[in-house]
Amino acid sequence: MPVLEAVGLEKRFGETRALRGLDLAAEAGTVLGVLGPNGAGKTTAVRILTTLLRPDAGRATIDGIDVVEHPHEVRARIGLTGQFAAVDERLTARENLELVGRFFRMSGDAARRRAAELLATFELREDAADRVVKGFSGGMRRRLDIAMSLVARPLVLFLDEPTTGLDPRSRLDMWDLIERLVAEGTTTLLTTQYLEEADRLADQIAVVDHGGVIARGTAEELKDQVGGDRVTITLAGPANDADVLAALGPHAVAGARTTRDGMRVMVPVRVGTNTPDVVHDLDGAGIDARDVEITRPTLDDVFLTLTGHAAEDAADADVGAGKRGKRKETRR
């Protein structure tokens, strides 16, 4: 049984269908990446799975426990870091962690020991541990926020777009931190609109758009769905695209079509195709090539193929709608 499972989740806000039969599942000790633009339904799904919102239909379980029927038992098994750091700026990092420990009814000594452990793990020792959080950088606040969600050693950790707004260096540090947590056995649901983030961190990826999962699998499986590898040929002279495709016939995927950018011709090919074979076939067909390069598709290619738009474009276009939707959810 998956540690985390959602089946047929539906949620409406007035006339807006935020979720349309969403299905998710994560095995123990893995990262499930939920990838999609703002407004796709990612945060709504997280709020249901963490007992903050009731679904209109469908069911969800954590460790086999229904999130609607037994919310208190579920909350004892989860940690949540939202899109904005939920830290008390008037307290120090140590005081924030100890306060969460007392909320979980730890003794004073136990809360202090756990706070010290997490300060060391999240590299918030020395002067940072006893500094007021108001002076922390965005990256430090994020680390503290995740540390606070781990005080009670949760079975499942929810990270809702944890690197949004961070600079590139802080984002890389956060990725390293998440990888360490997973290596220690923490099951993690990670929502993100960053394709590189999902590619690096997620064992399984669910691509979400308009409230439903439109594709799922590992990063490599999703890339294979858009035609496997891609060969880019820089021609040394005029050549007919049909002739190039015919020359690569043994390697091109079924129904492959060429695309052209000036003197460069791109053709989807089967996984495992190598450069020497392509050069040999082009030479045999009398096609003069100046350069041959074989690359894997990116998750951006996957998203573009599945939705008809690039993920970054979708995120930019939906930012306003996504923020409005989140405000409506909060009022409810």
Side-chain angles (χ1 to χ4, degrees), residues 14-231:
E15 297 299 317
T16 302
R17 291 184 65 188
L19 296 181
R20 304 165 182 256
L22 187 79
D23 296 332
L24 297 172
E27 304 296 331
T30 65
V31 177
L32 171 62
V34 182
L35 174 65
N38 284 328
K42 304 187 303 295
T43 296
T44 300
V46 167
R47 295 189 68 197
I48 290 173
L49 286 162
T50 55
T51 76
L52 299 177
L53 193 66
R54 293 176 67 94
D56 296 328
R59 65 186 300 269
T61 59
I62 302 293
D63 197 24
I65 302 170
D66 191 283
V67 301
V68 173
E69 295 179 2
H70 305 287
H72 295 291
E73 293 182 37
V74 169
R75 290 169 193 159
R77 289 165 168 79
I78 63 174
L80 169 63
T81 295
Q83 294 181 22
F84 303 98
V87 298
D88 192 325
E89 293 187 341
R90 299 165 296 179
L91 303 179
T92 66
R94 191 186 307 276
E95 289 168 341
N96 268 283
L97 291 166
E98 290 180 4
L99 179 63
V100 173
R102 299 311 298 268
F103 285 156
F104 279 97
R105 299 184 180 180
M106 293 181 178
S107 68
D109 287 341
R112 283 189 289 273
R113 286 195 301 271
R114 184 59 175 156
E117 291 173 6
L118 291 168
L119 287 168
T121 299
F122 286 77
E123 300 178 357
L124 291 169
R125 291 175 294 181
E126 300 175 356
D127 63 324
D130 296 305
R131 279 172 48 197
V132 175
V133 172
K134 187 175 182 179
F136 278 20
S137 66
M140 292 174 67
R141 287 171 182 250
R142 262 300 181 212
R143 294 206 305 275
L144 176 58
D145 195 25
I146 295 178
M148 290 167 64
S149 69
L150 292 169
V151 168
R153 296 182 172 84
L155 180 67
V156 180
L157 177 62
F158 291 86
L159 299 176
D160 190 12
E161 300 193 14
T163 62
T164 296
L166 296 185
D167 61 79
R169 177 69 261 173
S170 296
R171 183 172 296 149
L172 290 173
D173 290 342
M174 189 61 61
W175 291 354
D176 290 339
L177 174 59
I178 293 170
E179 287 176 333
R180 292 204 303 271
L181 294 174
V182 175
E184 294 170 2
T186 304
T187 303
T188 305
L189 185 147
L190 168 73
T191 74
T192 182
Q193 55 181 296
Y194 296 118
L195 298 153
E196 185 182 0
E197 187 164 274
D199 205 350
R200 172 169 168 173
L201 299 175
D203 297 292
Q204 291 284 322
I205 297 172
V207 182
V208 178
D209 201 21
H210 300 297
V213 175
I214 57 177
R216 68 181 78 239
T218 66
E220 294 307 307
E221 288 169 347
L222 290 173
K223 292 172 186 177
D224 286 343
Q225 291 183 24
V226 297
D229 294 346
R230 179 178 301 166
V231 60

Side-chain angles (χ1 to χ4, degrees), residues 255-275:
R257 293 182 296 176
T258 62
T259 55
R260 180 180 280 268
D261 176 14
M263 295 299 290
R264 296 193 310 162
V265 177
M266 288 151 279
V267 183
V269 293
R270 294 184 176 86
V271 175
T273 299
N274 58 57
T275 302

